[in-house]
Amino acid sequence: MQTSKYTKFAVIIMVILFVVLSVISCTTHVHSSESKKVPPGQAKKMSGSKSAKAYAPGQQKKR
């Protein structure tokens, strides 16, 4: 039983389409600490400053 050129071509296209759709549907989730609020004392430690006043929201000057 012979298969025509069009049948082979259609099967190849379907396989390629399946692989492409499988790869596209993969997702990754990146968790970053940037979105979380850091307590003023921890922000002070990370920056190396002597006072946490600049990092406390209640202590910032209003414009």
Side-chain angles (χ1 to χ4, degrees):
M1 181 175 199
Q2 288 185 337
T3 57
S4 69
K5 288 190 273 185
Y6 297 112
T7 306
K8 287 181 182 179
F9 182 71
V11 170
I12 291 172
I13 293 296
M14 283 191 275
V15 169
I16 291 173
L17 184 62
F18 176 75
V19 170
V20 168
L21 290 176
S22 296
V23 170
I24 289 175
S25 67
C26 295
T27 59
T28 59
H29 298 282
V30 178
H31 298 283
S32 66
S33 62
E34 293 177 13
S35 64
K36 296 180 183 178
K37 299 265 182 175
V38 177
Q42 294 298 320
K44 173 188 82 87
K45 286 180 184 178
M46 288 189 292
S47 69
S49 65
K50 296 194 181 246
S51 174
K53 189 175 184 179
Y55 303 100
Q59 300 296 322
Q60 291 179 0
K61 205 175 201 181
K62 294 183 181 176
R63 295 180 183 198

